[in-house]
């Protein structure tokens, strides 16, 4: 089988799943996780360790490794742009979890997103193919799916086009996912998982969603817009990655989500957790969009990141609701109530202060 320009050996193609039965996994089989110092990646590393794997992590030089403190994870210095470092990292791996991604709704250097999310994915998966890695789980995003006009939850059948993608982050993830789907058709043993909106412990950056939770907990969100998100605990997303490894079908996508909530409901839940009054003022889209343009203009001049972005406001016009029925049916995926996820996130941010 030829994949990514590389011929996969018969031994590599046959090594899964016999070499990775649940009994076999507990014999210290090696898994590589990219993005393991980050929010979702660290949760995946923890889940793998609980499942009995020997875990290595591809880590950039100088990266904040606090999410891996106390974990029996071997850190391998490397970059998605450095093919030699990728080849060293995937050598001897039975499974690869490619979680790393640049997640920014706004940046003054959008090409960084494409270099990391598109070119980096291609470099890594081609190296994995050459090394004969038996199974790959690629972390995509629900951002690559089309939203339904009637507001009902989207699922894996809701195909989108590149022109549907709002902003460079979504476009870069869409382009990467399309390339991964093509390599799966060519024979690469890869399963795609699409987390919705993870929250919980370990959001060290924090992500845009983590900033929302943190600002709400600090009382810095006096108003809201009429939008909605699918909230899921990051540890449930991590467990979904392992389920995809064991039970996912090659070339298939699985949404790893939780519960659909309006932003108003999310803010009310957080307010109740911290003993604050929930915001009651709903801002119209037409009022917020000019503020976002102004904020981005200031950010370009001052060379800093802005929390209010044009792409974020444009996305907020839609309720970003998703169904995880396919993952539940085929993988046995489950998720906890959103209140527990938000409570764990608030607790972690509070302890980190």
């Amino acid at each position: 089988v030829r994949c990514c320009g590389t011929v996969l050996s018969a031994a590599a193609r046959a090594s899964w799943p016999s070499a990775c039965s649940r009994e076999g996994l507990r014999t210290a089989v090696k898994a590589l996780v990219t993005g393991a110092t980050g929010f979702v990646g660290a949760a995946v590393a923890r889940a793998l360790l609980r499942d009995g794997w020997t875990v290595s992590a591809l880590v950039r030089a100088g990266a904040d490794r606090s999410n891996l403190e106390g974990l029996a994870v071997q850190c391998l210095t490397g970059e998605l742009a450095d093919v030699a470092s990728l080849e060293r990292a995937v050598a001897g791996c039975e499974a690869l979890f490619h979680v790393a991604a640049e997640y920014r709704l706004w940046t003054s250097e959008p090409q960084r997103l494409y270099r990391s999310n598109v070119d980096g994915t291609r470099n890594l998966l081609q190296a994995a193919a050459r090394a004969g890695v038996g199974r790959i789980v690629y972390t995509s995003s629900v951002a690559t799916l089309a939203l339904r006009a009637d507001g009902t939850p989207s699922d894996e059948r809701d195909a989108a086009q590149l022109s549907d993608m709002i902003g460079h982050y979504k476009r870069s993830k869409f382009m990467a996912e399309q390339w991964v789907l093509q390599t799966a058709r060519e024979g690469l043993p890869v399963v795609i998982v699409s987390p919705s909106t993870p929250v919980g412990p370990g959001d060290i950056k924090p992500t845009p969603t983590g900033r929302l939770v943190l600002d709400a907990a600090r009382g810095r969100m006096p108003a809201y817009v009429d939008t909605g998100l699918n909230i899921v605990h990051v540890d449930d997303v991590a467990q979904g990655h392992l389920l995809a490894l064991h039970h996912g079908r090659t070339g298939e996508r699985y949404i790893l989500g939780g519960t659909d909530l309006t932003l108003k409901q999310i803010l009310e839940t957080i307010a109740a957790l911290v003993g604050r009054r929930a915001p009651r003022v709903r801002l119209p889209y037409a009022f917020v969009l000019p503020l976002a343009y102004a904020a981005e203009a200031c950010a370009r001049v001052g060379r800093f990141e802005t929390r209010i972005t044009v792409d974020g406001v444009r996305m907020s016009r839609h309720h970003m609701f998703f169904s995880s029925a396919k993952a539940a049916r085929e993988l046995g995926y489950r998720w906890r109530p959103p209140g527990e996820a938000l409570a764990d996130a608030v607790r972690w941010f509070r302890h980190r202060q």
Side-chain angles (χ1 to χ4, degrees), residues 178-251:
Q178 292 301 304
W179 185 85
V180 172
L181 287 169
Q182 179 59 38
T183 64
R185 289 190 287 269
E186 294 173 358
L188 191 71
V190 58
V191 179
I192 298 171
V193 293
S194 300
S196 59
T197 311
V199 296
D203 195 353
I204 58 175
K205 262 189 171 180
T207 62
T209 308
R211 286 189 191 132
L212 184 153
V213 173
L214 186 56
D215 286 346
R218 290 174 171 173
R220 295 179 179 173
M221 289 192 66
Y224 63 93
V225 293
D226 182 18
T227 189
L229 299 170
N230 182 278
I231 298 296
V232 61
H233 198 293
V234 68
D235 289 340
D236 294 335
V237 170
Q239 190 60 35
H241 279 67
L242 269 66
L243 292 169
L245 180 82
H246 294 302
H247 307 300
R249 290 182 287 141
T250 295

Side-chain angles (χ1 to χ4, degrees), residues 253-324:
R253 292 185 295 187
Y254 297 93
I255 294 173
L256 303 180
T259 304
D260 294 324
L261 295 174
T262 65
L263 179 56
K264 183 175 186 291
Q265 290 173 315
I266 294 169
L267 297 178
E268 288 173 343
T269 301
I270 296 171
L273 288 168
V274 299
R276 291 185 182 276
R277 184 175 177 176
R280 297 183 179 182
V281 177
R282 181 171 69 85
L283 298 176
Y285 171 82
F287 176 81
V288 180
L289 187 60
L291 295 180
Y293 276 109
E296 287 194 5
C298 292
R300 288 190 186 93
V301 173
R303 303 188 67 82
F304 60 84
E305 286 197 26
T306 173
R307 297 191 182 190
I308 178 171
T309 68
V310 173
D311 289 341
V313 174
R314 290 171 63 196
M315 286 188 283
S316 73
R317 298 187 71 176
H318 308 280
H319 284 68
M320 290 163 276
F321 291 164
F322 299 93
S323 169
S324 299

Side-chain angles (χ1 to χ4, degrees), residues 23-210:
E23 292 75 18
L25 291 180
R26 300 187 183 283
T27 60
V29 180
K30 183 180 176 183
L32 174 69
V33 181
T34 69
T37 59
F39 182 35
V40 175
V44 170
R46 294 193 299 266
L48 282 165
L49 291 170
R50 289 193 297 268
D51 207 43
W53 287 79
T54 294
V55 180
S56 56
L58 183 72
V59 179
R60 289 177 300 196
D64 180 355
R65 303 186 183 189
S66 59
N67 258 349
L68 299 178
E69 287 181 3
L71 300 182
V73 173
Q74 179 189 18
C75 291
L76 306 173
T77 302
E79 298 267 356
L80 291 175
D82 182 353
V83 174
S85 72
L86 300 180
E87 291 178 339
R88 291 192 296 269
V90 297
C93 285
E94 187 58 45
L96 167 64
F97 291 83
H98 181 31
V99 188
E102 284 276 351
Y103 179 20
R104 301 171 187 268
L105 295 183
W106 182 86
T107 175
S108 60
E109 300 176 275
Q111 285 306 313
R112 288 181 53 185
L113 295 176
Y114 296 95
R115 286 195 297 269
S116 178
N117 297 344
V118 183
D119 298 340
T121 295
R122 185 182 297 115
N123 291 341
L124 178 64
L125 267 60
Q126 287 176 339
R130 290 191 293 270
V133 174
R135 187 73 153 173
I136 301 167
V137 177
Y138 167 68
T139 307
S140 184
S141 168
V142 292
T144 66
L145 299 170
L147 297 174
R148 296 181 181 177
D150 62 3
T152 58
S154 299
D155 63 26
E156 293 84 352
R157 297 169 295 181
D158 290 292
Q161 303 296 323
L162 182 60
S163 58
D164 298 324
M165 300 293 104
I166 297 174
H168 293 291
Y169 170 71
K170 281 193 172 189
R171 283 194 283 271
S172 68
K173 291 297 287 184
F174 181 89
M175 291 167 64
E177 184 181 276
Q178 292 301 304
W179 185 85
V180 172
L181 287 169
Q182 179 59 38
T183 64
R185 289 190 287 269
E186 294 173 358
L188 191 71
V190 58
V191 179
I192 298 171
V193 293
S194 300
S196 59
T197 311
V199 296
D203 195 353
I204 58 175
K205 262 189 171 180
T207 62
T209 308

